[in-house]
Amino acid sequence: MQCVVFDMDGVLFDSEALVLRSWEQTAEIHGIPDVREVCLRCLGTNAAESRRLFLEKYGADFPYDTYKAEMSARYWENVGEGKLELKPGVREILDALRQNGWKTAIASSTRTAVVREEMQHFGLEQMFDEIIGGDMVRRSKPDPEIYLTACRALGADPAETYAVEDSYNGIRSAAAAGMRPVMIPDLLPPTPEIESLTAKIFPSMTEFQQFLFS
């Protein structure tokens, strides 16, 4: 059985950039320094790990939950205004995978309800056989739990399954799960460590599709 498991933010949607912009707007209002640096460290992690990283940076008394809610309101306002964009080539590869009988899943550190909401926003939910959100597992990426969970849900052999990621933590997670990690960079370029963990690196989803079906 041929399967592909996709991360969501920064892979299917241009949402990482929109979250970063929303955090930078919040930081500017409240005078929070170096927020971009912290956000980049949070890429690929779940809500609990992101919270931990912010408190590690700014101290235990940092009002993270208040600022996160403010950032989130800005983010969803931007989504409502149509500023969340689908990454180029996403619909095409999902159609091609479906037409060729491949199984697909999402393994996203984002909460499942939010994943489904964003899928519905673009009419993509029916394109995936399984959706695994960050609240469905105990351990965040870079731990392999979420990818192993997705493979079990699909009935897939991890060693024969592609995992499509943009973040370092995501690539580490997929590699630790024994999968075939594919990186399509978004906010972060590949490093020597990440290059050593990936099966392939592509500049866009279109090139990945061509690799699968050429």
Side-chain angles (χ1 to χ4, degrees):
M1 181 172 58
Q2 295 173 304
C3 303
V4 182
V5 182
F6 295 88
D7 176 44
M8 184 181 73
D9 297 303
V11 170
L12 301 178
F13 307 135
D14 199 19
S15 42
E16 299 283 25
L18 198 57
V19 167
L20 179 58
R21 196 177 316 141
S22 301
W23 263 119
E24 287 176 334
Q25 290 167 344
T26 303
E28 186 175 354
I29 290 168
H30 297 287
I32 306 168
D34 305 322
V35 77
R36 182 183 181 88
E37 168 208 324
V38 186
C39 287
L40 292 179
R41 289 177 61 205
C42 291
L43 291 178
T45 64
N46 65 13
E49 180 63 8
S50 294
R51 187 178 193 278
R52 187 191 71 77
L53 289 168
F54 266 83
L55 295 182
E56 178 182 88
K57 169 70 176 179
Y58 298 113
D61 60 345
F62 180 74
Y64 173 77
D65 296 326
T66 300
Y67 292 153
K68 170 69 183 298
E70 189 175 322
M71 181 283 296
S72 185
R74 283 195 176 86
Y75 173 82
W76 286 107
E77 182 179 340
N78 286 323
V79 172
E81 292 172 357
K83 294 178 182 176
L84 178 63
E85 296 183 357
L86 202 61
K87 287 280 197 170
V90 167
R91 287 194 191 278
E92 291 81 358
I93 194 171
L94 292 176
D95 285 339
L97 290 167
R98 184 68 60 188
Q99 289 166 10
N100 285 275
W102 288 56
K103 293 279 191 180
T104 57
I106 290 175
S108 171
S109 296
T110 299
R111 287 185 300 112
T112 309
V114 176
V115 174
R116 291 190 179 277
E117 186 173 353
E118 295 196 0
M119 288 293 116
Q120 290 163 5
H121 182 77
F122 286 96
L124 293 179
E125 190 172 12
Q126 74 282 0
M127 301 298 288
F128 294 92
D129 298 289
E130 300 290 342
I131 293 177
I132 310 298
D135 54 340
M136 294 173 66
V137 295
R138 291 176 54 205
R139 294 177 293 277
S140 176
K141 299 174 186 177
D143 188 275
E145 182 183 6
I146 193 166
Y147 274 113
L148 292 173
T149 300
C151 287
R152 280 196 300 271
L154 289 173
D157 177 358
E160 299 298 321
T161 302
Y162 290 103
V164 187
E165 274 285 354
D166 68 301
S167 74
Y168 301 160
N169 286 320
I171 292 291
R172 291 170 185 139
S173 173
M179 300 175 73
R180 297 174 174 177
V182 169
M183 186 181 194
I184 301 177
D186 182 40
L187 297 181
L188 297 171
T191 64
E193 176 216 354
I194 296 304
E195 288 175 353
S196 73
L197 295 177
T198 56
K200 294 283 184 180
I201 299 174
F202 296 102
S204 75
M205 198 68 76
T206 301
E207 280 80 3
F208 179 43
Q209 180 180 343
Q210 291 170 349
F211 166 77
L212 291 179
F213 299 111
S214 61

